Amino acid sequence: MRLFENPVLNHIFYAAPNVIIATIFLILLLQKASGRKGAKLAMIGCILFLLVRLGWIVRTAMTVQADFEIFDSLLYKVVNYGLLLLSLASYGLWIFAFYSLSKDQDQLVILGLEDSYPPPPPAGVSAPPAGLNEVYPPQPS
Amino acid sequence: MDVLDFLLYRAPFLAVASCGLVFGLRALSRHGTAAILTTIGWGLLLLTSLLNFLVWNFFDYSSGIQLLMNFLLYPGATIMILLGILSMLTPRASNPTLPGMPSNSTSAFQYQGLDLHAEGDQS
């Protein structure tokens, strides 16, 4: 479905929703990054995703300007396959970011359960900590 | 249909989307909402890739289905995938809180020490 006569405008129109979404999420990821590896990978994935969309628009503009011989040229093939690989890499980075973050969460849960519960009594205090009395009230003797 | 075209342009995207779907399904038991979002996202992306392949090869491409894919399925898939990643970064409000542990901290499993001198205990 061609809404515009100009193929470049048409391409921009169809790419716009994804570009807007990726930009919004890139900003959100930058705000919540906290230096975690998964967050960095997701951000790189978003940047690659945006670069690929930009590259596809440039490629369309290139094909509009040139004649049909461009489809056989080395430059066109390199750009085409390069963008394809970058697009795949961005998806791969998102998968790896999710995997890395899920592994981080698992480790946090395991460490939290092993180290934090039950809470160790402070040094020099033999009685159970005050907070635990609310959970485990002393039994009447 | 050119097999080489399929292998170069369609198969890698189908493979990546399937891979993401598998990762999402594997995390489903441990990370509830985030894994569900990711699974739906990669599932939608797989569906979009399949539709793209079918439409490109067997139907007229210049139809309303392109609008559906570009403005509903594909953005929806991207939103779900990125929301899944983002919800892994945000502290979970629905973390299982155990007795004696603070529930409204940054991480529910982080030990913050007990207040031994709480008000009311001083008398």
Side-chain angles (χ1 to χ4, degrees):
Chain A
M1 189 175 282
R2 295 174 66 87
L3 291 174
F4 302 99
E5 282 303 309
N6 190 344
V8 181
L9 277 180
N10 230 14
H11 202 117
I12 290 170
F13 174 70
Y14 281 121
N18 278 308
V19 169
I20 293 166
I21 289 163
T23 311
I24 290 169
F25 274 98
L26 181 62
I27 293 165
L28 287 173
L29 283 168
L30 279 168
Q31 283 177 348
K32 292 180 183 285
S34 69
R36 290 165 76 176
K37 187 185 163 193
K40 281 179 188 166
L41 288 173
M43 277 190 283
I44 296 167
C46 277
I47 292 165
L48 273 183
F49 187 86
L50 291 171
L51 276 178
V52 167
R53 265 66 198 166
L54 189 70
W56 280 344
I57 291 166
V58 170
R59 187 191 61 181
T60 309
M62 203 166 79
T63 50
V64 168
Q65 299 284 328
D67 51 12
F68 280 105
E69 286 177 4
I70 196 167
F71 292 109
D72 293 326
S73 70
L74 183 67
L75 175 70
Y76 182 80
K77 283 178 181 169
V78 167
V79 168
N80 212 14
Y81 293 130
L83 288 175
L84 186 81
L85 285 176
L86 282 180
S87 183
L88 287 172
S90 70
Y91 289 132
L93 280 171
W94 283 348
I95 293 174
F96 198 65
F98 182 80
Y99 176 70
S100 170
L101 287 171
S102 74
K103 262 179 71 176
D104 282 358
Q105 288 271 8
D106 286 346
Q107 280 175 355
L108 189 72
V109 169
I110 290 164
L111 286 174
L113 283 173
E114 285 181 348
D115 296 340
S116 303
Y117 185 77
V125 178
S126 56
L132 287 182
N133 285 335
E134 293 165 16
V135 183
Y136 303 116
Q139 298 294 317
S141 54
Chain B
M1 184 192 69
D2 193 354
V3 178
L4 191 67
D5 268 4
F6 173 75
L7 286 175
L8 278 175
Y9 293 106
R10 305 288 168 208
F13 287 100
L14 290 174
V16 168
S18 308
C19 195
L21 195 65
V22 168
F23 271 93
L25 286 171
R26 280 183 64 188
L28 214 55
S29 58
R30 286 167 288 141
H31 311 283
T33 316
I36 289 169
L37 285 170
T38 302
T39 308
I40 294 171
W42 287 112
L44 275 176
L45 199 71
L46 187 65
L47 186 72
T48 313
S49 298
L50 277 173
L51 264 179
N52 212 357
F53 165 65
L54 289 174
V55 168
W56 186 262
N57 287 295
F58 303 112
F59 302 106
D60 180 20
Y61 197 71
S62 59
S63 59
I65 204 161
Q66 194 186 358
L67 271 179
L68 177 82
M69 281 194 299
N70 280 292
F71 285 90
L72 198 71
L73 288 179
Y74 200 31
T78 314
I79 287 174
M80 293 287 188
I81 291 166
L82 290 172
L83 264 181
I85 294 170
L86 207 67
S87 61
M88 292 289 263
L89 280 171
T90 48
R92 288 178 293 175
S94 58
N95 263 338
T97 49
L98 295 169
M101 294 172 67
S103 60
N104 56 351
S105 61
T106 307
S107 167
F109 293 106
Q110 187 180 1
Y111 177 61
Q112 291 193 336
L114 295 167
D115 186 8
L116 298 177
H117 304 289
E119 285 180 29
D121 287 342
Q122 290 176 353
S123 59

PDB file of all heavy atoms in Angstrom, chain B residues 12-25:
ATOM      1  N   PRO B  12      16.800 -16.452   8.638  1.00  0.00           N
ATOM      2  CA  PRO B  12      17.477 -15.944   9.843  1.00  0.00           C
ATOM      3  C   PRO B  12      16.520 -15.271  10.819  1.00  0.00           C
ATOM      4  O   PRO B  12      16.636 -15.460  12.032  1.00  0.00           O
ATOM      5  CB  PRO B  12      18.480 -14.923   9.289  1.00  0.00           C
ATOM      6  CG  PRO B  12      18.682 -15.298   7.885  1.00  0.00           C
ATOM      7  CD  PRO B  12      17.406 -15.882   7.421  1.00  0.00           C
ATOM      8  N   PHE B  13      15.545 -14.526  10.311  1.00  0.00           N
ATOM      9  CA  PHE B  13      14.603 -13.838  11.197  1.00  0.00           C
ATOM     10  C   PHE B  13      13.673 -14.837  11.894  1.00  0.00           C
ATOM     11  O   PHE B  13      13.350 -14.679  13.078  1.00  0.00           O
ATOM     12  CB  PHE B  13      13.789 -12.803  10.418  1.00  0.00           C
ATOM     13  CG  PHE B  13      14.601 -11.592  10.061  1.00  0.00           C
ATOM     14  CD1 PHE B  13      15.132 -11.439   8.798  1.00  0.00           C
ATOM     15  CD2 PHE B  13      14.864 -10.613  11.001  1.00  0.00           C
ATOM     16  CE1 PHE B  13      15.902 -10.341   8.468  1.00  0.00           C
ATOM     17  CE2 PHE B  13      15.638  -9.508  10.695  1.00  0.00           C
ATOM     18  CZ  PHE B  13      16.165  -9.380   9.423  1.00  0.00           C
ATOM     19  N   LEU B  14      13.271 -15.880  11.123  1.00  0.00           N
ATOM     20  CA  LEU B  14      12.446 -16.922  11.741  1.00  0.00           C
ATOM     21  C   LEU B  14      13.233 -17.619  12.849  1.00  0.00           C
ATOM     22  O   LEU B  14      12.701 -17.899  13.922  1.00  0.00           O
ATOM     23  CB  LEU B  14      12.006 -17.941  10.679  1.00  0.00           C
ATOM     24  CG  LEU B  14      10.990 -17.461   9.649  1.00  0.00           C
ATOM     25  CD1 LEU B  14      10.775 -18.524   8.580  1.00  0.00           C
ATOM     26  CD2 LEU B  14       9.663 -17.142  10.307  1.00  0.00           C
ATOM     27  N   ALA B  15      14.522 -17.872  12.576  1.00  0.00           N
ATOM     28  CA  ALA B  15      15.370 -18.563  13.560  1.00  0.00           C
ATOM     29  C   ALA B  15      15.570 -17.710  14.817  1.00  0.00           C
ATOM     30  O   ALA B  15      15.463 -18.219  15.943  1.00  0.00           O
ATOM     31  CB  ALA B  15      16.720 -18.903  12.927  1.00  0.00           C
ATOM     32  N   VAL B  16      15.834 -16.412  14.616  1.00  0.00           N
ATOM     33  CA  VAL B  16      16.061 -15.523  15.772  1.00  0.00           C
ATOM     34  C   VAL B  16      14.785 -15.397  16.607  1.00  0.00           C
ATOM     35  O   VAL B  16      14.823 -15.458  17.838  1.00  0.00           O
ATOM     36  CB  VAL B  16      16.548 -14.138  15.290  1.00  0.00           C
ATOM     37  CG1 VAL B  16      16.502 -13.116  16.402  1.00  0.00           C
ATOM     38  CG2 VAL B  16      17.977 -14.233  14.773  1.00  0.00           C
ATOM     39  N   ALA B  17      13.645 -15.249  15.927  1.00  0.00           N
ATOM     40  CA  ALA B  17      12.379 -15.127  16.659  1.00  0.00           C
ATOM     41  C   ALA B  17      12.075 -16.421  17.427  1.00  0.00           C
ATOM     42  O   ALA B  17      11.610 -16.365  18.573  1.00  0.00           O
ATOM     43  CB  ALA B  17      11.250 -14.796  15.690  1.00  0.00           C
ATOM     44  N   SER B  18      12.366 -17.564  16.805  1.00  0.00           N
ATOM     45  CA  SER B  18      12.149 -18.851  17.495  1.00  0.00           C
ATOM     46  C   SER B  18      13.064 -18.958  18.712  1.00  0.00           C
ATOM     47  O   SER B  18      12.654 -19.442  19.775  1.00  0.00           O
ATOM     48  CB  SER B  18      12.421 -20.023  16.555  1.00  0.00           C
ATOM     49  OG  SER B  18      11.700 -19.876  15.375  1.00  0.00           O
ATOM     50  N   CYS B  19      14.291 -18.504  18.540  1.00  0.00           N
ATOM     51  CA  CYS B  19      15.268 -18.529  19.630  1.00  0.00           C
ATOM     52  C   CYS B  19      14.771 -17.673  20.808  1.00  0.00           C
ATOM     53  O   CYS B  19      14.814 -18.100  21.972  1.00  0.00           O
ATOM     54  CB  CYS B  19      16.597 -18.013  19.098  1.00  0.00           C
ATOM     55  SG  CYS B  19      17.974 -18.367  20.140  1.00  0.00           S
ATOM     56  N   GLY B  20      14.278 -16.471  20.494  1.00  0.00           N
ATOM     57  CA  GLY B  20      13.737 -15.594  21.540  1.00  0.00           C
ATOM     58  C   GLY B  20      12.542 -16.216  22.232  1.00  0.00           C
ATOM     59  O   GLY B  20      12.399 -16.127  23.450  1.00  0.00           O
ATOM     60  N   LEU B  21      11.707 -16.887  21.443  1.00  0.00           N
ATOM     61  CA  LEU B  21      10.527 -17.565  22.000  1.00  0.00           C
ATOM     62  C   LEU B  21      10.953 -18.664  22.974  1.00  0.00           C
ATOM     63  O   LEU B  21      10.378 -18.802  24.065  1.00  0.00           O
ATOM     64  CB  LEU B  21       9.709 -18.150  20.850  1.00  0.00           C
ATOM     65  CG  LEU B  21       8.284 -18.592  21.156  1.00  0.00           C
ATOM     66  CD1 LEU B  21       7.423 -17.415  21.547  1.00  0.00           C
ATOM     67  CD2 LEU B  21       7.680 -19.295  19.949  1.00  0.00           C
ATOM     68  N   VAL B  22      11.980 -19.411  22.596  1.00  0.00           N
ATOM     69  CA  VAL B  22      12.472 -20.494  23.462  1.00  0.00           C
ATOM     70  C   VAL B  22      13.024 -19.913  24.770  1.00  0.00           C
ATOM     71  O   VAL B  22      12.725 -20.413  25.860  1.00  0.00           O
ATOM     72  CB  VAL B  22      13.554 -21.325  22.720  1.00  0.00           C
ATOM     73  CG1 VAL B  22      14.278 -22.254  23.673  1.00  0.00           C
ATOM     74  CG2 VAL B  22      12.915 -22.119  21.595  1.00  0.00           C
ATOM     75  N   PHE B  23      13.799 -18.827  24.663  1.00  0.00           N
ATOM     76  CA  PHE B  23      14.356 -18.192  25.876  1.00  0.00           C
ATOM     77  C   PHE B  23      13.228 -17.684  26.777  1.00  0.00           C
ATOM     78  O   PHE B  23      13.302 -17.810  28.002  1.00  0.00           O
ATOM     79  CB  PHE B  23      15.293 -17.043  25.494  1.00  0.00           C
ATOM     80  CG  PHE B  23      16.701 -17.476  25.287  1.00  0.00           C
ATOM     81  CD1 PHE B  23      17.167 -17.811  24.034  1.00  0.00           C
ATOM     82  CD2 PHE B  23      17.582 -17.563  26.363  1.00  0.00           C
ATOM     83  CE1 PHE B  23      18.470 -18.217  23.835  1.00  0.00           C
ATOM     84  CE2 PHE B  23      18.885 -17.971  26.172  1.00  0.00           C
ATOM     85  CZ  PHE B  23      19.332 -18.298  24.902  1.00  0.00           C
ATOM     86  N   GLY B  24      12.202 -17.096  26.168  1.00  0.00           N
ATOM     87  CA  GLY B  24      11.069 -16.598  26.943  1.00  0.00           C
ATOM     88  C   GLY B  24      10.331 -17.728  27.638  1.00  0.00           C
ATOM     89  O   GLY B  24       9.988 -17.623  28.816  1.00  0.00           O
ATOM     90  N   LEU B  25      10.119 -18.824  26.914  1.00  0.00           N
ATOM     91  CA  LEU B  25       9.401 -19.967  27.498  1.00  0.00           C
ATOM     92  C   LEU B  25      10.198 -20.607  28.632  1.00  0.00           C
ATOM     93  O   LEU B  25       9.633 -21.052  29.622  1.00  0.00           O
ATOM     94  CB  LEU B  25       9.103 -21.010  26.403  1.00  0.00           C
ATOM     95  CG  LEU B  25       7.996 -20.640  25.420  1.00  0.00           C
ATOM     96  CD1 LEU B  25       7.949 -21.630  24.264  1.00  0.00           C
ATOM     97  CD2 LEU B  25       6.642 -20.600  26.110  1.00  0.00           C
TER      98      LEU B  25
END
